[in-house]
Every structure is written in C-alpha cells, then in structure tokens.
C-alpha cells in the first residue's frame, strides 16, 4: 500500500489515502500517520470500516485513552457519543432531552478536554450513521492564527495561564450541571501558548472551555480570549467537513479548535463515536 497525503485546506489538514485502518497498521505506516498528524493537525481517512474495537485499537496507537466524564451519553466509557439516538431503544432522543442539551455545547468552538488537568493530545471521531444533510464538523487552527500575531502580542502572551472549565462552557449554552457533576469537574490551568515538541510550532489553548486568564482582570482577559478566538475562526481559516459513510478524522487538540453544526435531529439519525487520547502531562 502506498500512502498519499493530500491537503484539505490551505492552512492545515490532510487527507490520508491508501490506508485501511481495520486491517491493522504496521509500525512504518503508523509512523507516517503520526508524522502527518504533527505536521497537518487534522487527518481525514475515508472509506474505512470501523467498529468500536477497531477504533480503540487505532486510537491507542496515539496513546492511552481518556474516560468520558460529565453528562455525555457514553459517560464512564472510552467513547464520547455525539448522537441523537437512544442506544437502549434505537429511537430518536427528543430535542429538549438533557442529553441533547448537553451536546449543544459542541456548537461552540472548543478543544476537547482542555478542562482536564491533563489536556488531550487528540480526538478520533468516526461515522456510524450520517444524516443526509447538515451535521458538518468545522475545524480551525490556532497554530495558523498564532503565526499571524504581531511580535509584541506574541511576547505578551508568552507565559500566560488560562483557566479552563466545563462548568463554565456548558453555562454558555444554558446547560445546568448537577452539584455532583460540578464537584467532579474542577477547573484546570493550561499554558496559553503551547509549543509542539516535535516541530516547535506554537498553538493557543483557547476555545469555549477557556474561562479566564489567571492574574488578569476579568474583562481584559475575556477580551483577549475573544479576540484570539475570532482571529482563529474567521471563516476563510476554517475547514468544514461534510461527513460521508466511512469517514474517520483525527484532530490535534493542542493546536486546533472544532465545533459541530446543526442538523435536523427530529428527522435524521446521526451517530458519531469519539475516542480521546490523553496528553502526556499537565500543560502548566
Ligand atoms: C466531538 C465533537 C462535533 C460533531 O466529538 O468532540 O465536538 O460534529 N463533535 O459531532
Ligand atoms: Mn468536541
């Protein structure tokens, strides 16, 4: 098999062709994929036949998997399920159900698990049921945004620490956590400017979970976080992925943001399974 790497967007992202994930990957093939991941941040694989076991085996090549927390329907497993399907009955989950309200947080630009003490390396999302329209996932590169910053601002950002919180980000969409859920979700501190250990490229730990800049006045910190988010996610800098059956995407949570887009969950079925690979240590 020959692997081909083709760009998805001028700023970041690549489609990896010539790889059959279900067949198992030898060390040399995985090394190419891992190198492409460090370089391109978002990797698309099309035409894959992936079930839960295959997804776990592939994901573990990147590192140990996280367990899913909070109110995600797959809580307590290694999967985060983005779906309007009740797995017990197969029926569509009503729009006003708590599980759907929780998933509305995905409409905000975010980096998965940036609210955890050990932030994630990457997420892997595979399609199981794709709606005929809507439900794209969009991606943006904080690395590309960082490169555009003026040198004085880069210098000012160096060493800043950001408090990330899932309780904060879910409050933005009006989702109310129970006291027990809140107690299980302490805030986490991440370094704002994060350097990739392989290539030295810098990215920003921002997104919906980024609540405040430590030791800065509330409003000044909020203004900076909002400005960096707006720069990162300006429309021409985003890649919008229209899912097809058999797609699987790996994204780098250290230097990318992503968000879900709406679909008609009262008419169409959507089932996406995410595994999340833990990072190798606290960012601060
Ligand atoms: C995720 C996520 C977006 C989507 O799986 O982490 O944010 O479009 N998904 O389902
Ligand atoms: Mn996500």
């Amino acid at each position: 098999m020959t692997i081909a790497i083709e760009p998805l967007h001028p700023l970041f992202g690549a489609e990896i062709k010539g790889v059959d994930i279900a067949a198992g990957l030898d060390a040399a093939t995985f090394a190419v994929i891992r190198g492409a991941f460090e370089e391109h941040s978002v990797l698309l694989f099309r035409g894959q036949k992936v079930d839960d076991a295959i997804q776990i085996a592939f994901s573990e090549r990147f590192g140990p998997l996280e367990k899913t927390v909070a109110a995600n329907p797959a809580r307590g497993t290694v999967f985060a399920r983005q779906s309007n399907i009740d797995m017990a009955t197969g029926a569509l989950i009503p729009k006003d159900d708590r599980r759907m309200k929780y998933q509305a947080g995905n409409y905000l630009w975010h980096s998965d698990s940036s609210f955890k003490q050990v932030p994630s390396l990457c997420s892997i999302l595979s399609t199981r049921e794709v709606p005929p329209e809507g439900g794209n996932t969009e991606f943006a590169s904080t690395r590309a945004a960082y490169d555009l910053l003026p040198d004085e601002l880069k210098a000012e950002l160096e060493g800043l620490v950001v408090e990330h919180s899932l309780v904060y980000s879910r409050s933005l969409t009006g989702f109310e956590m129970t006291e027990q859920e809140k107690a299980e979700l302490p805030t986490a501190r991440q370094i704002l400017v994060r350097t990739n250990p392989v290539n030295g490229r810098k990215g920003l730990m921002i997104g919906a979970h980024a609540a405040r800049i430590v030791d800065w006045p509330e409003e000044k910190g909020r203004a900076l976080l909002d400005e960096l988010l707006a720069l990162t996610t300006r429309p021409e800098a985003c890649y919008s992925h229209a899912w097809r059956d058999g797609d699987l995407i790996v994204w780098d949570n250290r230097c990318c943001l992503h968000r879900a887009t709406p679909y008609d969950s009262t008419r169409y079925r959507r089932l996406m399974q995410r595994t999340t690979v833990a990072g190798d240590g606290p960012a601060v």
Side-chain angles (χ1 to χ4, degrees):
M1 241 189 285
T2 33
I3 303 183
I5 301 174
E6 293 178 5
L8 279 179
H9 183 278
L11 292 174
F12 67 100
E15 180 177 351
I16 308 293
K17 292 184 168 170
V19 166
D20 178 0
I21 291 172
L25 305 173
D26 59 33
T29 303
F30 186 73
V32 173
I33 292 170
R34 183 64 203 237
F37 165 76
E38 300 290 357
E39 176 76 19
H40 300 289
S41 309
V42 173
L43 303 182
L44 166 65
F45 300 80
R46 292 220 193 250
Q48 304 297 319
K49 289 219 164 9
V50 167
D51 61 16
D52 287 355
I54 290 165
Q55 184 163 345
I56 289 173
F58 176 63
S59 303
E60 283 179 335
R61 300 291 288 270
F62 288 87
L65 304 188
E66 292 182 358
K67 277 237 166 81
T68 297
V69 297
N72 186 278
R75 174 194 169 94
T77 74
V78 296
F79 288 101
R81 193 160 59 235
Q82 319 302 1
S83 185
N84 62 335
I85 302 167
D86 185 314
M87 301 308 275
T89 65
L92 296 186
I93 303 173
K95 230 184 162 90
D96 58 356
D97 186 283
R98 189 166 195 267
R99 290 166 288 179
M100 295 308 284
K101 288 192 175 152
Y102 179 77
Q103 292 178 71
N106 284 343
Y107 294 136
L108 304 178
W109 287 105
H110 64 282
S111 161
D112 293 329
S113 299
S114 70
F115 55 85
K116 292 185 178 175
Q117 308 299 322
V118 178
S120 150
L121 172 72
C122 64
S123 295
I124 294 152
L125 190 63
S126 75
T127 51
R128 306 304 169 86
E129 292 195 52
V130 183
E133 55 182 345
N136 280 22
T137 307
E138 300 186 331
F139 298 91
S141 168
T142 66
R143 189 187 272 180
Y146 181 86
D147 287 347
L148 296 176
L149 299 177
D151 287 342
E152 317 82 73
L153 184 54
K154 282 183 182 162
E156 197 185 358
L157 300 188
E158 210 59 42
L160 290 182
V161 174
V162 185
E163 201 167 271
H164 287 245
S165 158
L166 183 66
V167 177
Y168 167 76
S169 57
R170 283 304 189 262
S171 77
L172 299 174
T173 53
F175 181 84
E176 298 211 8
M177 299 261 180
T178 64
E179 289 310 313
Q180 192 192 336
E181 282 166 348
K182 285 185 193 167
E184 289 170 5
L185 291 163
T187 61
R189 291 185 166 197
Q190 311 297 354
I191 200 88
L192 175 60
V193 178
R194 200 158 172 201
T195 306
N196 179 297
V198 175
N199 55 30
R201 302 281 309 275
K202 291 179 173 179
L204 300 166
M205 290 295 286
I206 56 175
H209 308 310
R212 59 191 62 82
I213 295 187
V214 174
D215 293 336
W216 272 34
E218 194 75 23
E219 274 177 32
K220 185 181 171 202
R222 197 62 259 158
L224 176 62
L225 291 169
D226 290 346
E227 182 191 326
L228 294 173
L229 185 68
L231 175 71
T232 302
T233 61
R234 60 202 199 289
E236 69 275 19
C238 298
Y239 168 67
S240 183
H241 186 68
W243 294 95
R244 292 188 216 148
D245 284 336
D247 285 355
L248 177 147
I249 293 186
V250 182
W251 64 82
D252 190 335
N253 282 313
R254 301 168 302 179
C255 62
C256 279
L257 299 176
H258 63 282
R259 68 172 177 185
T261 65
Y263 64 102
D264 188 347
S265 69
T266 65
R267 282 174 70 192
Y268 303 132
R269 297 165 68 85
R270 185 178 194 258
L271 173 56
M272 313 284 292
Q273 285 280 69
R274 188 187 94 207
T275 37
T276 316
V277 179
D280 52 10
V284 173

